[in-house]
Amino acid sequence: MLEIQNITICYKDRPTVKNFSMTLHRAEIASLVGESGSGKTTVIRAVLGLLAGGGKVTAGDILFEGKSLLKNTPDQWRKLRGTDVSMIFQDSGAMLNPTRKIGDVFVEYIRTHESISKSDAWKRGIAMLERMRLPSGDNIMHSYPFQLSGGMRQRVGIAMAMTFQPKLLLADEPTSALDVTTQAQIVRQMMELRDEYGTGIIIVTHNLGVAAYMSDLIVVMKNGEICDSGNRDDILSGNHSGYTQKLLEAVPSLGGVRYV
Ligand SMILES: Nc1ncnc2c1ncn2[C@@H]1O[C@H](COP(=O)(O)OP(=O)(O)OP(=O)(O)O)[C@@H](O)[C@H]1O
Ligand SMILES: [Mg+2]
């Protein structure tokens, strides 16, 4: 479904990400792990065509369902983003407009991608919120982001991102801002969505424990390059570099349980 072929990404002249390749199939979950500044966000933003600061893919290619995303026109991007490919951020509260109610934002989002009535969009929003096990969806739709907890806001972000049953979901540290119990719940819900919709997920995480628990594939980055990549069991069973070993030794527990 997604094939990243040996890409180089530059912000100015110096390459920030080099020789990065990975393949993701339908319903697979891949984790992108590595220390701060290693280039994880840069990679997923490149997949979504949303590199900030004048960033560019200067070599290689990114294929989605066999077609190069790098050739997309702005119009093609608008149609793809939020439908076939969508993204959730570290803190969905920051993405949601603080001065607007969840329901207004959700309804507008649905209606930019599909021509349905406001009341149908509202119902669809509530159904998605309930799908993420948010109680009383109608109340949430009438709330401002600050009235919800961090975990609730993150569920709202995931509910929105899943509305159009994306083939590919990109998640940049979706659970890092949350306590471990909520982290564990959200990780489980993302896995359920994968099972139900067949969504392929790339999740950026500092937490190799999260990666180990939820992913089929693990890609470890260091200084803009891949330092280990492969299927989870292979990486965890010791087929990895000294750097990954160090990350493994530093794994905290998830919901009170250690997964590695
Ligand atoms: N908008 C930008 N303009 C210029 N350089 C940038 C920009 N964003 C990132 N970079 C450079 O790319 C490098 C990788 O950044 P990136 O945000 O991809 O790392 P990361 O692995 O996501 O880190 P973190 O875990 O802290 O989120 C950084 O060291 C930075 O120098
Ligand atoms: Mg980042």
Side-chain angles (χ1 to χ4, degrees), residues 78-221:
R78 262 195 301 279
K79 288 200 182 110
L80 192 68
R81 276 191 217 118
T83 55
D84 275 354
V85 181
S86 69
M87 177 142 179
I88 48 184
F89 298 87
Q90 176 163 5
D91 178 7
S92 292
M95 180 188 75
L96 293 163
N97 186 333
T99 66
R100 295 183 64 203
K101 290 183 180 169
I102 304 285
D104 296 341
V105 175
F106 209 156
V107 163
E108 184 182 284
Y109 165 68
I110 292 173
R111 281 163 49 90
T112 52
H113 291 292
E114 192 176 322
S115 48
I116 60 172
S117 72
K118 280 189 184 168
S119 67
D120 283 349
W122 185 271
K123 281 184 212 137
R124 171 95 68 96
I126 289 177
M128 288 309 297
L129 293 175
E130 283 170 359
R131 182 67 199 72
M132 284 304 291
R133 294 206 203 99
L134 282 161
S136 56
D138 202 60
N139 269 341
I140 290 179
M141 293 289 267
H142 280 109
S143 303
Y144 290 99
F146 70 84
Q147 293 172 312
L148 308 178
S149 70
M152 288 166 90
R153 283 200 298 264
Q154 208 54 341
R155 287 190 178 84
V156 170
I158 297 172
M160 286 177 73
M162 292 303 298
T163 305
F164 293 101
Q165 304 184 9
K167 294 173 179 148
L168 176 63
L169 180 67
L170 305 168
D172 199 352
E173 311 241 15
T175 63
S176 303
L178 308 171
D179 62 83
V180 282
T181 310
T182 313
Q183 271 191 19
Q185 287 165 356
I186 293 211
V187 161
R188 268 184 230 118
Q189 287 181 335
M190 288 175 68
M191 293 170 79
E192 283 173 27
L193 292 171
R194 180 273 302 270
D195 294 341
E196 187 171 338
Y197 298 124
T199 305
I201 302 176
I202 301 180
I203 176 168
V204 166
T205 177
H206 276 104
N207 187 335
L208 205 44
V210 168
Y213 177 59
M214 78 184 290
S215 23
D216 307 299
L217 307 167
I218 296 179
V219 178
V220 181
M221 291 186 76

Side-chain angles (χ1 to χ4, degrees), residues 11-12 14 16 34-42 52-53 173 206:
Y11 284 103
K12 293 195 183 77
R14 212 173 51 83
T16 291
E35 63 199 6
S36 187
S38 56
K40 307 178 299 290
T41 298
T42 299
E173 311 241 15
H206 276 104

Side-chain angles (χ1 to χ4, degrees), residues 14-51:
R14 212 173 51 83
T16 291
V17 170
K18 286 157 286 193
N19 309 316
F20 185 99
S21 298
M22 72 178 283
T23 300
L24 188 78
H25 300 103
R26 188 176 176 279
E28 269 181 351
I29 300 181
S31 288
L32 212 50
V33 195
E35 63 199 6
S36 187
S38 56
K40 307 178 299 290
T41 298
T42 299
V43 167
I44 59 169
R45 289 189 84 99
V47 173
L48 208 59
L50 284 178
L51 282 167

